[in-house]
Amino acid sequence: MTRALSSIACITLIFLGFSKVNGQLNSTFYDSTCPNVSSTVQAAVQQAIANEARMGASLLRLHFHDCFVNGCDGSILLDDSVNITGEKTAGPNNNSVRGFDVIDTIKSQVEAICSGVVSCADILTLAARDSVVALGGPTWTVQLGRRDSLTASLSTANSNIPAPTSNLSALISSFSNQGLSTQDMIALSGAHTIGQARCTVFRTHIYNETNINSTFASSVQANCPLSGGDNNLSPLDLQTPTTFDNDYYMNLMSQSGLLHSDQELFNGGSADSQVTTYSNNQNTFFTDFASAMVNMGNINPLTGSSGEVRTNCRKPN
């Protein structure tokens, strides 16, 4: 943790103009309308992680799964209703994404200080950054001004979010479809330095595939039997599962990636060089991750008069 924290001090980054939406979002969007929003979100995230360290990874993942479905618009937060089929039951999300109650708590606290001003999409984006920082990772300046969608897309959630069974080509394509580079993809995959995965999504990798360290596979098999135990959890990074560092890339180099899609980043392909760089230099990983998070947060936001600012993140106004 000390190594990671010491790196933060020299990596306070401001990234502007990274995407096609440059100029629509800005870091000072709420300075006059809700000046305490950032500190409010940060305090709530820190409390949630203090209650459960795993929550940091869950909040980061919520932001990712939101942005890959029609942009960073808070659509993943919408519950099913008579008029809306939400994204929570999509294959990549069902019994998997979590942290909705934490977002509800943050939203209620923000509404108490400035009602109807801050979007759920912006709260998700801030919470993702604050989660990374709370677990020892880099910080960056979050661009703000997103508005919330009025609807969701179950079908797009099923098709756009990359699967843990994806090969390298599919991963590159999936991120490219969102305007993200291969470098962004490899850096963002480093989010798997925190959090856990369910047995059902990595069973094939640890039992049937060859690009995996046999000792590592055996250690994980103890908690993920050939049948049953589908929801048993294993850390994505066995060494430091609640510390944001570069151990994920070190694991890949020793063929100890938990997911098939993880190990695809170091399997004799075009991503090997970048993985090697990150495994050797945590500061480079932190810098690239921060940049990639800004890029991801800029995927097709609703701005201006589009969408709305929901007062309840689970339903349109």
Side-chain angles (χ1 to χ4, degrees), residues 3 190-197 216 234-252 256-259 262:
R3 177 185 60 177
H192 284 180
T193 188
I194 54 176
Q196 302 183 61
F216 170 72
S234 289
L236 289 158
D237 169 12
L238 285 175
Q239 288 75 31
T240 54
T242 58
T243 300
F244 198 98
D245 54 26
N246 67 334
D247 280 2
Y248 167 81
Y249 298 102
M250 297 181 188
N251 293 338
L252 297 186
S256 300
L258 184 64
L259 308 181
D262 288 333

Side-chain angles (χ1 to χ4, degrees), residues 37 69 108 121 171 290 306:
V37 60
V69 182
S108 66
L171 290 169
S306 299

